Amino acid sequence: MKVVIAEKPSVARDIAKVLNITAKKKGYIEGRGCAVTWAFGHLVTLQEPGEYDPALKRWSLDALPFVPDEFKLTLIKNHGVAEQFQLIKNLCQQAEEIVCATDAGREGELIFRYILALCHCEDKPIRRLWLNSLTPEAIQVAFKDLKDGHDYDALYAAARCRSESDWIVGLNAT
């Protein structure tokens, strides 16, 4: 099975329609050997400072500077996120291939890779759907020209660097 992860439900619906994937399930659409699902934008994020060290739950200069040895990921705290993430995780673990259909750019790549990491599916084969338009024609052309997902490793590295540096500066220099 191929799993396609879009950034938003509306994009997933557009993709599924163009690919003639019509069986609506809770949290995804399936058919023709594919499951098209979605995040809610930044579904996964870096853990809050207090999750690394309880002393950081209350702001104090005494606890700063702080930089974690390793950044850890967590789900955002919004309604329905845990359920949607569990569904994505189950689909990804069953997948033979995972297609990144998040927004074309640094943040879209970060959203997808953070989801893969929290799903423990980073070793699965990944492909990249690079869309600059959501017209049916653009979606068809992009699916005919799927790229190796690892062609975008540098874009992910730049996005991750920006995310982690924002976290460090936000905590220590604000």
Side-chain angles (χ1 to χ4, degrees):
M1 171 180 57
K2 181 182 294 190
V3 174
V4 179
I5 301 175
E7 195 164 323
K8 304 175 250 328
S10 61
V11 175
R13 285 190 298 271
D14 290 344
I15 290 170
K17 183 177 179 179
V18 169
L19 298 177
N20 198 27
I21 296 170
T22 58
K24 294 179 180 171
K25 305 289 182 179
K26 185 171 179 148
Y28 67 105
I29 308 162
E30 75 174 349
R32 304 181 67 217
C34 291
V36 182
T37 189
W38 53 85
F40 301 122
H42 286 271
L43 191 72
V44 177
T45 189
L46 297 175
Q47 284 187 354
E48 292 294 320
E51 295 175 271
Y52 292 98
D53 182 348
L56 296 169
K57 284 187 181 198
R58 287 185 38 234
W59 194 90
S60 168
L61 274 175
D62 297 334
L64 302 177
F66 177 78
V67 178
D69 292 332
E70 175 187 347
F71 281 93
K72 296 178 183 173
L73 300 173
T74 190
L75 295 176
I76 61 169
K77 312 284 190 270
N78 287 352
H79 177 72
V81 165
E83 183 179 8
Q84 183 66 15
F85 174 77
Q86 190 58 51
L87 180 141
I88 293 169
K89 182 177 180 179
N90 291 342
L91 289 172
C92 286
Q93 289 177 343
Q94 296 171 41
E96 295 165 13
E97 179 178 80
I98 305 170
V99 177
C100 175
T102 53
D103 291 353
R106 189 174 65 184
E107 288 307 303
E109 196 65 28
L110 184 70
I111 288 167
F112 175 72
R113 300 291 185 103
Y114 274 4
I115 290 169
L116 277 188
L118 203 57
C119 288
H120 306 290
C121 289
E122 293 167 298
D123 293 336
K124 294 268 184 168
I126 60 172
R127 307 279 285 169
R128 184 57 153 110
L129 177 74
W130 196 264
L131 287 172
N132 292 314
S133 168
L134 289 174
T135 65
E137 297 79 21
I139 293 170
Q140 287 174 341
V141 168
F143 260 97
K144 288 178 184 171
D145 191 31
L146 287 174
K147 306 291 185 194
D148 184 314
H150 294 292
D151 290 351
Y152 298 87
D153 286 350
L155 185 64
Y156 166 57
R160 183 175 171 186
C161 181
R162 192 253 345 125
S163 176
E164 292 175 0
S165 63
D166 281 357
W167 191 99
I168 292 167
V169 171
L171 175 68
N172 293 293
T174 299

